[in-house]
Amino acid sequence: MAHGPNYKVKYRRRREGKTNYYKRYTYVINNATRLVVRITNKYIIAQIVKFNPKGDVVIAAAHSIELAKKFGWKGDTNNTPAAYLTGYLLGVRALKAGIKEAVTDIGLFVPVKGGRIFTVIKGTIDAGLQVPVGEIGVSEDRIKGLHIATYAQKLESENPELFKRLFSKYLERGLHPKDLPSHFQEVLNKIKSGGA
């Protein structure tokens, strides 16, 4: 490990890979309302956050587990359709809280065109929130889960055992993967009809 008079230890949250202090500094200086998106192995978390010297204040939040608990979502809680629905739910809640625009804060994630982070952002934009962002690159078919449904149908006819193993959670919850696009639309309509 380096040592000497010029060596400076980085802040703990930077060493742990949790905070990019340069980006954080620019958000604080600009007094920006942030759309914070975080993806874990199981869930997608989206929040509207404002800076406060005593600590950030969360104005609106949406968690992908809410899709299952409140809206009857039977798909995975961290796939592309769930990302869009979580973003849409956050957008609806942000507008109700009086927030009309926000800038994206993706933390230390590497932005990948068409990724789940951009799917969350698209969901908030479609809900009516203004988020300055360039090319998102997310197709409507992927948002609706058509790619999952197509793959499941193909796999079911070619290798039923693998199909049952890969989609066991879907089947346990009572959803055949080929019905995912229609189920997605059903949950989206529940969110739109004021279920937030």
Side-chain angles (χ1 to χ4, degrees):
M1 187 169 181
H3 57 279
N6 294 328
Y7 180 70
K8 184 178 175 186
V9 177
K10 291 181 180 177
Y11 293 121
R12 178 184 55 83
R13 287 187 61 85
R14 181 62 185 146
R15 288 193 317 265
E16 291 172 353
K18 291 181 179 176
T19 303
N20 181 335
Y21 281 99
Y22 176 75
K23 282 185 183 176
R24 172 122 179 104
Y25 174 75
T26 58
Y27 293 136
V28 170
I29 290 296
N30 294 321
N31 197 22
T33 302
R34 302 180 341 250
L35 164 59
V36 179
V37 181
R38 298 294 181 262
I39 296 175
T40 70
N41 288 339
K42 285 187 174 182
Y43 305 111
I44 292 166
I45 305 152
Q47 299 172 324
I48 299 293
V49 178
K50 273 193 174 178
F51 171 74
N52 186 307
K54 293 180 181 176
D56 288 352
V57 177
V58 177
I59 297 162
H63 196 289
S64 62
I65 195 69
E66 291 178 87
L67 300 175
K69 290 185 175 178
K70 292 184 180 176
F71 301 101
W73 176 249
K74 295 176 184 174
D76 283 341
T77 52
N78 72 338
N79 62 7
T80 303
Y84 180 85
L85 292 170
T86 304
Y88 198 93
L89 181 61
L90 177 69
V92 169
R93 288 179 176 169
L95 291 172
K96 280 185 181 174
I99 303 297
K100 292 183 174 61
E101 60 182 340
V103 294
T104 308
D105 176 357
I106 61 171
L108 296 171
F109 284 104
V110 176
V112 177
K113 188 175 168 184
R116 288 175 295 170
I117 287 178
F118 287 111
T119 309
V120 174
I121 296 167
K122 179 158 176 49
T124 59
I125 292 170
D126 288 353
L129 196 67
Q130 292 179 348
V131 182
V133 67
E135 181 64 33
I136 293 178
V138 182
S139 74
E140 291 293 323
D141 288 346
R142 287 189 72 82
I143 287 172
K144 293 176 183 171
L146 202 61
H147 63 294
I148 298 169
T150 306
Y151 176 68
Q153 273 186 312
K154 181 182 175 212
L155 195 63
E156 187 176 25
S157 62
E158 292 175 4
N159 191 343
E161 284 183 28
L162 183 60
F163 167 79
K164 285 178 184 170
R165 196 169 71 233
L166 288 180
F167 293 100
S168 61
K169 293 291 182 187
Y170 282 80
L171 299 170
E172 274 176 34
R173 296 182 203 118
L175 175 69
H176 194 287
K178 70 177 169 51
D179 300 328
L180 187 62
S182 58
H183 180 60
F184 167 85
Q185 196 59 50
E186 179 186 315
V187 173
L188 182 60
N189 291 337
K190 282 183 187 175
I191 295 171
K192 284 181 179 177
S193 64

